Amino acid sequence: MAEKLYYKYWGKAGADDVRNNSYHLLPYHCLDVAAVGWQLLKPDMPLCKQLAKQLEIEPEWLRTLFVFCLALHDLGKFARAFQGLRQDLSVDLVKANSRMSYSERHDSLGFCLWQETLQTKLLEQPPSNESAGNEWLSHLEPWLEIVTGHHGMPPKTNLRTRNFFEVEDEQAAMAFVQDAIALFLGDFDFKPLLDKALKKRLKPASWQLAGVAVLADWLGSNQDHFKYCDKPKDLNVYWREIALKKAVNAVNALPKTPGVSAFQGVKSLFDFIQEPTPLQKYAVNEPLTEQPQLFILEDVTGAGKTEAALILTQRLMTQGLADGLYIALPTMATANAMYKRLGDVYRKFYQSGCEPSLILAHGARELSQAFQDSVVLAKQSIIDGDYLNGKNEEDQELSATAYCNAWLADSRKKALLADVGVGTLDQALLAVLPARHQSLRLLGLGRKVLLVDEVHAYDSYMQKLLDALLEAHARQGGSVILLSATLPQTMRETLVKAFHNGLGQAAPTLSDPAQYPLATHTPAATVEQQIDTREAVKRTVNIQRLNSEDEVIAQIRIAVAAGHCVCWIRNTVKAARQSYQDLLDAGIDANRLSLFHSRFAMIDRQEIENRTLQYFGDGSTPEHRKGQVLIATQVVEQSLDLDFDVMITDLAPIDLIIQRAGRLMRHIRDAQGNRIRQEGVKDQRGTPTLYLFSPHPVEDADANWLKPDHTGTQAIYPHIGQLWLTAKHLVGRGRFAMPDDARDLIEGVYSFDAEAEIPDVLLDGSMQATSKTMAQKSMADLNVLKLNKGYTRSSGDWDEETRIPTRLTEEETVSVALAILENGQLKPYAKAEPYAWALSTVKLPEHEWKKAQQQIPENLKSLIETLKVEQKALRWVEVLPLEERQVIYSSRHGFIG
């Protein structure tokens, strides 16, 4: 029997400096990947069952068809242009064609080969199954679009294949497809494939299937399991005797999903809870349904929302609706704090003896060694050669192995595949943006509860992306828990509607105005339930307006003299730095004064964060707290468990003011500041007073109402009308009670009716802010994936994830590594290993960096270039040498400029 043409094509090749002349035949690699897919889509596993249910087909049918498609995922490698990338492998392989340049990736080439050539030729062939005919072939295109997009983006279309394939290549690909049909689809029932309704249902399911294709390709490229084979062997024999057996080992090498432990009550998770809060009791007793569900928990700071959410998470897992959890937070600092809280709890979700993984996901993830130690992943000892597609590193087409290694080395992405992930919301939002490998993020979230904390804290752009994420997560069978101290009614309605869009259901009508505290649960028999809150956090807060910075400083001096600890939250870094200096000038002891903002090098920021928690956190003592003053920006506003005797805040929107007030007398203490942990005991420090640094909200406010003392505030919070309404409600009341007044305050600023109260002169500024909000939403609509189109190139403007924004900022920020000059060499500012350069990095607004850059002496610029060559980690980072004569940065002030 003549040898098949397709045995003359290589699919994987060893790196030429590692294993010369070693290669794996293309048909075998295709079968390796198909065999991994066979294991990943076992019909009795949740993933296959959920996808089959969504597609309204049998799990076994889905498995067979998709595995056949996976066998065709690398059709593009039959291109002579691709084969010519390695001419050093064997004389038995096809010869290179110098006229054919490999200028398009093999994933797109494979899909275009099917569209342009193979489908037409196969339709002309006698059908392999007489009863089925050939019509099914014309329905295969969207399935092949999914599998050929296995490098993290959908394939391009309408490429001219003749520029890349010789006639012999097309013949080889044709022969392989025909043999794959015989191997996988001999007695297959093609009727479901002919149903046009299936094509429509495939579009929303295609995103998860694309993730399966990426994962199958990565695992099928692992030489630890799939050794290279360059000798022709019958496909049926290779499939049964090698590919299927090796795929079992490859999939079994993945970390096992640990067995879920049944919920045994609050004490089983949190032994420190003596008496559950009303919200926690709700989490224990609320009936769950058998389908994906959304919870929105709104309660005051200190009501135990996080614990309630974790109780619900374990109950949802016990119900079989999830295997794990991803907690999404607004900032790195809040993610770090959440990790510490989760450290003792997450193992209790699972049966004893299991090894569940916990991973951190944010921009400085490698700086927390505890997270690095929490997951063990098999290292791949043998690597494939990369497919060089250009001279620059960014243009290089990485092999599946190289992609896999890069992905697993980046714990921001790995967190979505770990059993329990903690990180910023940004990492989850990338699942609904046209960023490479978004499908794997979505797949990783699929069997997890998505828990989003501080859900009110995001701008209109991120809110719109969050809506898309909720819709996508509900569609793939995921449940969601959202936490907030306070949510505007319109935002709550939008979130509920997005989730129900994913379920394909109409959203329930929510009460207006809603009660507070409130638990929203949908779909459910009772969607909204007003919840009581625990007595310890019910309180009245007095409001006292301070008109000038001199009045603020005088108030701080009075508090320090009385031995109280104080926090002044300023809206800008510039204002915080100036106030810190003003307080030093006013005679406040430098040892009692701290500054905390976002422009510190990571090593200093970590130290400041730890010191802040030590001096003002739950375990702080009277000795720590006495007379201490913290000048901070919004970095202390959310999720950090801090408690101050005196709180002063710049004017900000009402929800943020309420959030800041949550750090005022947060813990129950005696008059000296000792922590009291008995239930039912009142705080002994007197009635809390929130000092509001704000102009008077006069009815005839003019356009300069905030200027000049609050110009920075208006830059950060441009909706001046909402600021005026906030000041009016707070100053007018003179106090507010929590939780009783929370909903009135929020709706009094954010409702449509409230806008009518804003003075006409301030409406211009407010309209500009509203226009900006609309522009942010439009930008989100432009950027977010068109999920209803399915996994196709036209569903988004695809790019590498580093170029896809999860947040919009007024100005681009620049990562700058601080360096010091020692013996003629630039060394990292941070004296720490192994991440000295990462710990030396600070994020600066672009205009600040440009000013600083101009101060770098010419003689140091060549040293910087040399350093960047030596230190790969600095390739995409700017470097700023710190000279003794310049005071541009200090560990106490941060970046000064």
Side-chain angles (χ1 to χ4, degrees), residues 462-607:
M462 293 184 79
Q463 286 286 349
K464 196 80 175 175
L465 298 184
L466 179 58
D467 293 344
L469 181 62
L470 296 195
E471 182 177 335
H473 195 51
R475 187 175 286 137
Q476 65 178 0
S479 293
V480 177
I481 303 172
L482 306 176
L483 306 182
S484 177
T486 45
L487 267 188
Q489 177 76 1
T490 51
M491 191 181 296
R492 195 165 62 99
E493 289 173 347
T494 302
L495 293 164
V496 168
K497 183 181 178 184
F499 190 80
H500 275 267
N501 284 346
L503 295 179
Q505 301 173 1
T509 302
L510 303 181
S511 61
D512 185 17
Q515 301 298 313
Y516 182 87
L518 185 72
T520 305
H521 176 202
T522 183
T526 304
V527 173
E528 296 170 293
Q529 289 186 51
Q530 184 173 5
I531 308 287
D532 195 9
T533 198
R534 66 190 183 101
E535 287 299 321
V537 294
K538 290 180 180 178
R539 60 181 185 159
T540 297
V541 177
N542 288 333
I543 302 293
Q544 185 171 330
R545 188 179 70 87
L546 300 175
N547 199 53
S548 67
E549 293 190 24
D550 288 343
E551 287 184 22
V552 176
I553 290 172
Q555 195 62 52
I556 291 173
R557 294 181 68 172
I558 291 169
V560 169
H564 298 149
C565 63
V566 185
C567 179
W568 182 6
I569 299 183
R570 306 244 50 191
N571 290 333
T572 67
V573 174
K574 182 179 179 181
R577 282 198 305 249
Q578 186 59 55
S579 296
Y580 177 85
Q581 189 59 49
D582 290 345
L583 284 164
L584 286 175
D585 295 343
I588 300 293
D589 184 350
N591 293 321
R592 295 190 176 277
L593 188 60
S594 305
L595 179 62
F596 188 11
H597 56 68
S598 58
R599 286 181 213 158
F600 281 95
M602 191 57 67
I603 192 166
D604 293 330
R605 179 164 176 159
Q606 286 184 353
E607 188 175 327

Side-chain angles (χ1 to χ4, degrees), residues 21-306:
N21 303 324
S22 65
Y23 64 94
H24 195 42
L25 287 173
L26 177 53
Y28 300 154
H29 169 64
C30 291
L31 294 187
D32 295 340
V33 172
V36 172
W38 185 260
Q39 292 299 318
L40 293 175
L41 290 176
K42 287 181 178 176
D44 59 341
M45 296 298 283
L47 175 62
C48 190
K49 286 198 284 190
Q50 185 265 320
L51 283 165
K53 181 180 178 182
Q54 195 175 339
L55 291 165
E56 298 179 24
I57 52 178
E58 292 300 317
E60 292 83 0
W61 189 95
L62 171 62
R63 182 199 211 185
T64 301
L65 180 71
F66 197 67
V67 165
F68 162 71
C69 293
L70 281 174
L72 309 188
H73 80 284
D74 259 351
L75 285 175
K77 287 185 178 178
F78 281 107
R80 194 63 56 109
F82 177 87
Q83 291 294 310
L85 292 176
R86 291 294 296 274
Q87 300 176 36
D88 59 333
L89 298 176
S90 171
V91 294
D92 296 329
L93 299 174
V94 292
K95 303 296 182 284
N97 182 337
S98 59
R99 296 190 305 277
M100 289 186 169
S101 167
Y102 185 59
S103 57
E104 294 288 351
R105 298 170 53 98
H106 71 271
D107 41 8
S108 295
L109 292 177
F111 185 58
C112 291
L113 181 68
W114 175 266
Q115 283 185 310
E116 191 176 306
T117 306
L118 297 182
Q119 179 178 278
T120 305
K121 290 190 174 180
L122 285 164
L123 284 168
E124 294 168 355
Q125 299 288 317
S128 58
N129 183 322
E130 288 293 339
S131 61
N134 274 347
E135 186 188 349
W136 65 275
L137 287 161
S138 59
H139 293 261
L140 208 55
E141 188 170 295
W143 296 84
L144 291 178
E145 192 167 17
I146 294 168
V147 296
T148 52
H150 59 273
H151 275 276
M153 291 186 190
K156 293 180 184 177
T157 56
N158 302 319
L159 300 177
R160 185 169 170 76
T161 56
R162 288 296 167 132
N163 294 334
F164 305 94
F165 293 85
E166 291 190 4
V167 172
E168 185 183 26
D169 304 335
E170 293 176 0
Q171 292 171 343
M174 179 77 169
F176 178 69
V177 173
Q178 288 176 308
D179 285 357
I181 291 171
L183 178 60
F184 293 105
L185 304 178
D187 55 356
F188 187 66
D189 176 14
F190 292 100
K191 284 180 188 172
L193 190 58
L194 307 183
D195 182 1
K196 289 181 180 177
L198 176 62
K199 186 176 181 180
K200 189 175 181 181
R201 293 193 294 270
L202 177 62
K203 288 181 178 180
S206 63
W207 301 97
Q208 271 181 288
L209 286 166
V212 174
V214 172
L215 192 56
D217 184 49
W218 284 0
L219 296 175
S221 301
N222 187 334
Q223 284 184 70
D224 289 347
H225 300 292
F226 298 97
K227 304 297 182 192
Y228 283 177
C229 179
D230 58 10
K231 299 291 184 287
K233 190 187 297 282
D234 182 75
L235 293 190
N236 191 35
V237 173
Y238 184 88
W239 171 252
R240 299 193 181 284
E241 295 183 4
I242 299 176
L244 281 175
K245 292 178 181 178
K246 298 298 184 185
V248 172
N249 298 334
V251 173
N252 285 344
L254 288 172
K256 299 288 180 294
T257 300
V260 172
S261 172
F263 178 66
Q264 300 289 336
V266 176
K267 280 281 186 187
S268 66
L269 280 181
F270 308 104
D271 53 14
F272 59 85
I273 293 180
Q274 302 299 317
E275 174 65 24
T277 69
L279 187 64
Q280 290 162 359
K281 289 177 181 175
Y282 165 86
V284 171
N285 298 317
E286 171 66 2
L288 300 181
T289 61
E290 296 292 332
Q291 61 183 318
Q293 47 216 288
L294 167 71
F295 289 89
I296 304 177
L297 306 183
E298 297 175 81
D299 205 343
V300 299
T301 301
K305 290 191 291 292
T306 301

Side-chain angles (χ1 to χ4, degrees), residues 699-766:
E699 294 292 338
D700 58 346
D702 62 20
N704 293 316
W705 177 64
L706 277 177
K707 297 173 182 175
D709 294 339
H710 303 271
T711 302
T713 290
Q714 190 169 344
I716 301 297
Y717 306 113
H719 201 307
I720 191 171
Q722 288 177 353
L723 293 173
W724 183 87
L725 285 169
T726 297
K728 180 189 176 192
H729 281 286
L730 292 176
V731 174
R733 288 168 180 257
R735 64 170 59 93
F736 64 82
M738 293 297 284
D740 300 352
D741 295 335
R743 191 70 76 192
D744 285 346
L745 287 169
I746 292 292
E747 297 305 323
V749 171
Y750 287 114
S751 69
F752 292 121
D753 293 341
E755 201 166 280
E757 297 182 42
I758 299 172
D760 291 343
V761 177
L762 299 186
L763 276 176
D764 285 346
S766 297

